[in-house]
Amino acid sequence: MRRPAADAYDVAVIGGGVVGCAVLRELARHDLRLLLLEREEDLAEGASKGNSGVIHAGFNVPSGSLKARTNVAGLPLVYRLAAELGVPHRRTGKLVVALEDGDRRRLEALKAEGDRSGVPDLEIVDGPAIGRLELLARGRWALYSPHTGIVSPYELTVALAESAHRNGAEIRLGTPVTAVARRDGLFVLSTPAGEFAARRVVNSAGLQADEVARLAGSRDQPVFPYRGEYLVADKDCGLRLAMPVYPVPPRDDPGLGIHVTPTIEGNILLGPSAEPIADKSDAASTRAVMARLRAEAARLMPALEGVPVIHAYAGVRPKLVDPAGPDRFADFVVEESAARPGWIDLLGIESPGLTAAPALAVMVADLIGAKEDLRPRPGFEPGLPPRRRFAAMDDGERAGRVAADADWGEMVCRCEHVTRAEVAAALRNPFGARSLDAVKRRTRCGMGRCQGGFCTPRIVEILQDEGVAVEDITKRGGGSRLFSGRLKG
């Protein structure tokens, strides 16, 4: 089908990760007709689900770089957005620990870089101070960053999209862009669902951003996939971590080194690793790296030796650093194409992309605003309706919910205390995402100790009650079907 020029979108965003959704939500402040196209069956299926959820202060990247500028600018914005949208987050502080006296100079260099970038209140502390700040941490010296925090990255992504949708943006999942043409002054994006025309396009496709840019004839700059593996410790392991604890960044590692991070829900993450891989879709966990994660985490924090682990996962970073080349740093790319005016590429948006996302979104809006008059959207609603998890309610509130709706009294996930009412609400999300992983990201079903052993059959039952045929139930959309055929009794 062909979309007539009169029916064209003002801006189409390609990519439903945290940056793409932040761009969409920022543009929704303006009186624009907006569209977001996501190739996967849900939002946050790429790097946005496979990271530590750390809100970075901005001292880990070279001062003056776009990474540093958008990180520092994004720091207050991400806290404000998370509060506005009701997304779980916490300002925790962070320690970068030197285990030997000789590494103090590295900490001083990090602090100096942060000072030049305008990161506030950085401080180098000694061993006793480390123990007072974080009981589990040990070291000779540490760089203390009081404004670092943690957030649920996938919940932030979904909330940004819901806010944009609430303010008129259209979001289509399972809609990969397969070709780009220029017709009648518009970009025409071909997808399996048909053609979509837009006056301007923002390419925020993450790992596929280089491929999408080539489809448009915008630029030819490769994105290199680097896999980061994690281990998730049991919440009931007997340890509580107050803040992220990092090692002094290794000189020969493309990442920040294997660190330990608390999650909003009380787990402890070990990782990530950072290995270049050939396949952008290879998010496998490997035995050798899992052993390394355990060893290096225990070296940084001895109490973690032998900690019980309930899950392993991996994310893939879209880096612009060629693993075969001499450079260890590459900056974000956020540019309007000289060859295709109106087309804006965002490439290499890796860490600290989560923190930088709101600032990158403002930057994109400014690029568009430099070419046309952006009028405020009448009646823009910045927040979302409040939601309370059953697990966070007191007994009185729980009793009231159950009295009003019996589905609040049926426990679907025992580990995370998720009710049938919450699962049904997640399945009725505005984007039509109905996989097990979509439920997981919205409710935490399957994230507890049994990893879905108890709740999976109950979610399958609810999906069928919601009208999904059992043959169509998937883990994450696409070909990840849970069932193949039927057995006759």
Side-chain angles (χ1 to χ4, degrees):
M1 72 179 183
R2 289 195 174 189
R3 183 176 294 275
D7 199 26
Y9 295 92
D10 294 305
V11 184
V13 178
I14 302 173
V18 68
V19 175
C21 291
V23 168
L24 190 73
R25 199 266 187 178
E26 180 64 27
L27 293 176
R29 293 178 176 277
H30 306 286
D31 192 14
L32 298 167
R33 188 160 185 251
L34 302 171
L35 171 69
L36 183 140
L37 300 174
E38 166 55 44
R39 72 197 294 264
E40 302 289 350
E41 299 294 328
D42 194 15
L43 304 162
E45 274 286 4
S48 297
K49 72 173 181 184
N51 67 69
S52 307
V54 173
I55 300 173
H56 288 288
F59 56 83
N60 280 312
V61 285
S63 56
S65 66
L66 184 57
K67 282 185 177 180
R69 299 199 311 273
T70 54
N71 187 162
V72 173
L75 181 64
L77 298 180
V78 78
Y79 281 120
R80 189 184 313 157
L81 265 177
E84 202 167 61
L85 300 175
V87 177
H89 66 287
R90 187 166 71 248
R91 196 183 302 261
T92 58
K94 167 181 165 179
L95 290 167
V96 181
V97 174
L99 299 177
E100 300 174 2
D101 283 334
D103 281 333
R104 174 167 178 148
R105 288 187 179 180
R106 303 280 306 285
L107 297 180
E108 291 170 347
L110 277 180
K111 181 179 183 303
E113 201 77 79
D115 291 343
R116 285 191 292 270
S117 293
V119 179
D121 304 322
L122 295 174
E123 180 185 3
I124 293 179
V125 299
D126 61 13
I130 292 171
R132 289 192 295 271
L133 289 164
E134 172 50 68
L135 292 175
L136 297 179
R138 299 289 183 271
R140 298 288 294 171
W141 303 96
L143 177 62
Y144 174 53
S145 166
H147 299 290
T148 299
I150 55 175
V151 68
S152 173
Y154 38 87
E155 289 184 67
L156 178 61
T157 303
V158 171
L160 287 165
E162 288 185 350
S163 177
H165 179 269
R166 189 175 177 83
N167 287 284
E170 182 179 341
I171 295 171
R172 289 180 174 254
L173 304 177
T175 312
V177 174
T178 56
V180 179
R182 191 79 168 148
R183 187 188 305 151
D184 301 327
L186 299 171
F187 292 101
V188 180
L189 309 175
S190 296
T191 78
E195 291 183 345
F196 299 90
R199 294 191 300 112
R200 299 182 184 277
V201 176
V202 178
N203 169 20
S204 182
L207 282 164
Q208 285 74 38
D210 56 341
E211 300 162 35
V212 172
R214 282 193 288 271
L215 287 177
S218 168
R219 62 193 303 130
D220 187 10
Q221 182 171 2
V223 168
F224 300 97
Y226 282 67
R227 183 172 60 203
E229 299 183 37
Y230 292 87
L231 295 175
V232 184
D234 190 346
K235 275 195 291 191
D236 296 325
C237 67
L239 301 174
R240 283 291 177 267
L241 185 65
M243 67 180 66
V245 178
Y246 284 54
V248 173
R251 298 181 188 276
D252 57 349
D253 194 303
L256 298 176
I258 289 170
H259 45 270
V260 293
T261 307
T263 69
I264 288 293
E265 296 80 17
N267 299 93
I268 299 175
L269 300 181
L270 316 182
S273 56
E275 303 94 31
I277 55 175
D279 182 355
K280 291 180 179 180
S281 65
D282 184 5
S285 297
T286 61
R287 186 180 298 274
V289 172
M290 285 192 283
R292 182 178 152 224
L293 294 180
R294 279 187 170 278
E296 294 199 21
R299 179 172 175 268
L300 186 65
M301 196 171 289
L304 291 176
E305 187 168 6
V307 67
V309 167
I310 61 170
H311 186 54
Y313 71 98
V316 184
R317 302 175 180 90
K319 294 177 80 73
L320 299 181
V321 174
D322 185 343
D327 297 329
R328 306 316 312 150
F329 174 81
D331 209 354
F332 290 160
V333 171
V334 181
E335 293 178 0
E336 182 172 4
S337 171
R340 296 287 185 269
W343 181 282
I344 298 172
D345 286 310
L346 289 83
L347 274 76
I349 312 298
E350 50 157 339
S351 181
L354 176 66
T355 312
L360 291 168
V362 171
M363 186 176 177
V364 169
D366 287 346
L367 286 172
I368 295 172
K371 299 292 181 69
E372 62 179 274
D373 182 24
L374 295 181
R375 299 185 304 276
R377 178 180 297 278
F380 174 78
E381 297 182 29
L384 291 172
R387 296 173 186 167
R388 290 263 296 163
R389 287 180 178 165
F390 189 81
M393 298 177 187
D394 60 30
D395 288 345
E397 189 176 356
R398 289 176 178 176
R401 293 292 180 98
V402 173
D405 181 354
D407 282 356
W408 282 97
E410 181 180 336
M411 196 61 63
V412 173
C413 176
R414 287 178 175 174
C415 298
E416 298 295 321
H417 302 139
V418 183
T419 67
R420 184 185 183 98
E422 292 169 287
V423 173
L427 292 172
R428 295 166 190 161
N429 68 83
F431 314 126
R434 289 190 159 197
S435 65
L436 291 190
D437 281 0
V439 172
K440 178 189 291 188
R441 277 190 281 277
R442 289 161 177 79
T443 66
R444 288 195 54 77
C445 276
M447 290 190 179
R449 176 180 285 181
C450 82
Q451 290 292 292
F454 179 82
C455 62
T456 296
R458 287 154 183 82
I459 297 170
V460 167
E461 176 188 320
I462 297 170
L463 276 162
Q464 291 179 86
D465 290 345
E466 291 289 315
V468 182
V470 69
E471 299 88 359
D472 296 331
I473 296 174
T474 67
K475 182 182 185 299
R476 59 181 300 273
S480 61
R481 286 184 171 81
L482 266 66
F483 306 100
S484 178
R486 292 177 178 269
L487 294 175
K488 292 183 70 174

